[in-house]
Amino acid sequence: IPQFIKSLTTKETKDVSLLWCLFLSIGVFLWTVYGFMINDSPVIIANAVTLIFVVGILILKLRYG
């Protein structure tokens, strides 16, 4: 969350690796899918919230470069 807020307020994402964002997004998405497969609410909620912020950082990275 702090990285997302910093990127949003400063409109700078030079400190964030695009490759890191992509891999983390994929990994968290897969964990969310796994949570649905095993029907485990804590896994689903934790990873869904993380996915929202990581995708937000990814969008900001693509937008502000």
Side-chain angles (χ1 to χ4, degrees):
I1 295 175
Q3 185 66 51
F4 177 76
I5 292 170
K6 180 183 177 195
S7 298
L8 191 60
T9 57
T10 63
K11 294 183 175 35
E12 285 189 17
T13 57
K14 65 181 179 179
D15 299 332
V16 179
S17 167
L18 180 61
L19 195 59
W20 171 80
C21 279
L22 288 172
F23 282 129
L24 187 60
S25 297
I26 292 167
V28 173
F29 172 75
L30 291 174
W31 269 104
T32 306
V33 170
Y34 174 69
F36 278 107
M37 290 173 61
I38 63 171
N39 199 24
D40 191 357
S41 296
V43 174
I44 296 168
I45 293 168
N47 286 292
V49 170
T50 303
L51 186 61
I52 290 168
F53 285 106
V54 172
V55 169
I57 292 171
L58 181 61
I59 291 169
L60 291 173
K61 178 69 176 173
L62 293 174
R63 186 175 201 184
Y64 299 124

